[in-house]
Amino acid sequence: MSSHPFSDQAQPDPAAPLLLFDSGVGGLSVLRKVRERLPQAPVIYVADNAGLPYGAKSEAQIAARVSGLLGRLTERLKPRLVCIACNTASTIALASVREVLEVPIVGTVPAIKPASAMTRTGAIGLLGTAATIRQGYVDRLEAEFAADKHLLRHGAPELVAAAEAKLRGQPVDPAVFERAARSLREQPHGESIDTVVLACTHFPLVQDELAQAFGPGVSFIDGSDGIARRIDALTQHQDWRKTRPDRALFTRGGIEVDQLGAVLEAHGLTDIGVV
Ligand code: DGL
């Protein structure tokens, strides 16, 4: 019998953690929702901060980096499930990661389907990284769920940097959020946007600032509720046992990690280290 924690689909090792993966702090917006549903779950949060930002990388770079890292991490940390809490990595590398890993993988999908059900004006904004908004994956979601709507896309790397800075307690220029709102508003049909898809896990962390910039009458939607529901469903009837403090692991240590201490602790991650 294999020693893999998921070799017996019904009962993995109760201490086997959920592994949440992102390029930086964005996956914490997903972890919040996972904690609400599964407060008893042991968690390891991994941030590939040495590779941040993924949004500026090529498809080939992201696919190679994410599959390689997750392959090694899964071997070493033996999670019962891996959540790629990053739209960029999911829309590009989910299929190749699923090919190489045996554990269940939950990816992050831009919330175009629920946005399509929410909009009254038929104009939906989508904010993601530059890499995410050009993916065929997004084209397919648009064709399937928003073919009769106007889906306006904008790649906003500045918002990734803003979320990273905000969580470190650093000041962020409000012009960053105004520029993101304006880039959508200035596109054809942009003036009637009433729903904005936050298609990058960093962006819910600056949702209040974005709401301010868009003004009243705009609702925001992201994929984190759906992910938490999916993880809950895939782990139904499994036992959980916490045998050690939950960990946050980074691919590069130093001051940029030290500055996150309080935020990580607020998310229940008290054992901080480098992969
Ligand atoms: N959090 C990542 C996402 O959801 C992107 C951040 C980055 O550019 O690395 O797409």
Side-chain angles (χ1 to χ4, degrees):
M1 199 175 93
S2 142
S3 63
H4 199 281
F6 218 77
S7 54
D8 174 359
Q9 292 267 325
Q11 269 320 326
D13 174 354
L18 300 174
L19 191 157
L20 272 77
F21 175 82
D22 182 36
S23 53
V25 296
L28 295 176
S29 67
V30 177
L31 178 57
R32 276 182 198 165
K33 297 289 172 65
V34 172
R35 292 279 198 212
E36 280 169 27
R37 279 194 173 253
L38 295 165
Q40 72 282 33
V43 168
I44 301 180
Y45 184 87
V46 178
D48 180 16
N49 56 325
L52 182 89
Y54 278 5
K57 292 188 159 46
S58 71
E59 279 72 1
Q61 285 174 315
I62 293 166
R65 190 167 184 106
V66 173
S67 334
L69 250 172
L70 285 179
R72 289 195 296 281
L73 289 167
T74 304
E75 195 59 36
R76 201 177 111 199
L77 303 169
K78 309 242 183 295
R80 72 179 71 196
L81 179 149
V82 171
C83 169
I84 304 182
C86 172
N87 287 262
T88 312
S90 297
T91 53
I92 292 168
L94 191 57
S96 51
V97 171
R98 282 203 169 118
E99 262 169 41
V100 295
L101 298 192
E102 281 177 41
V103 279
I105 318 276
V106 175
T108 310
V109 177
I112 294 172
K113 185 181 177 186
S116 202
M118 279 164 64
T119 180
R120 293 287 158 263
T121 61
I124 301 168
L126 184 141
L127 292 171
T129 65
T132 295
I133 65 160
R134 66 172 180 253
Q135 293 311 308
Y137 197 111
V138 178
D139 299 339
R140 288 192 290 281
L141 289 171
E142 178 178 2
E144 190 172 353
F145 301 114
D148 58 342
K149 309 283 190 297
H150 299 290
L151 183 74
L152 317 180
R153 308 181 193 186
H154 175 62
E158 281 187 313
L159 296 179
V160 174
E164 292 281 336
K166 179 182 172 183
L167 268 59
R168 290 180 171 82
Q170 295 160 358
V172 181
D173 182 357
V176 168
F177 308 107
E178 281 147 26
R179 274 197 290 274
R182 203 167 49 242
S183 301
L184 286 175
R185 290 288 194 204
E186 284 176 356
Q187 296 183 35
H189 306 284
E191 72 289 346
S192 44
I193 287 174
D194 66 350
T195 307
V196 173
V197 179
L198 300 179
C200 169
T201 52
H202 278 75
F203 298 174
L205 302 171
V206 290
Q207 184 172 319
D208 291 346
E209 292 83 346
L210 284 168
Q212 184 84 27
F214 274 93
V218 173
S219 305
F220 294 86
I221 173 95
D222 64 75
S224 54
D225 276 323
I227 297 171
R229 266 200 310 277
R230 182 81 188 125
I231 295 176
D232 193 7
L234 286 171
T235 57
Q236 281 277 305
H237 313 301
Q238 293 183 4
D239 294 332
W240 304 95
R241 193 172 61 237
K242 281 205 199 237
T243 54
R244 54 177 297 165
D246 285 345
R247 278 179 279 177
L249 299 175
F250 293 80
T251 52
R252 180 172 63 205
I255 178 85
E256 62 182 294
V257 172
D258 301 342
Q259 288 165 335
L260 290 172
V263 159
L264 296 172
E265 192 173 341
H267 288 80
L269 304 167
T270 50
D271 183 359
I272 317 301
V274 175
V275 180

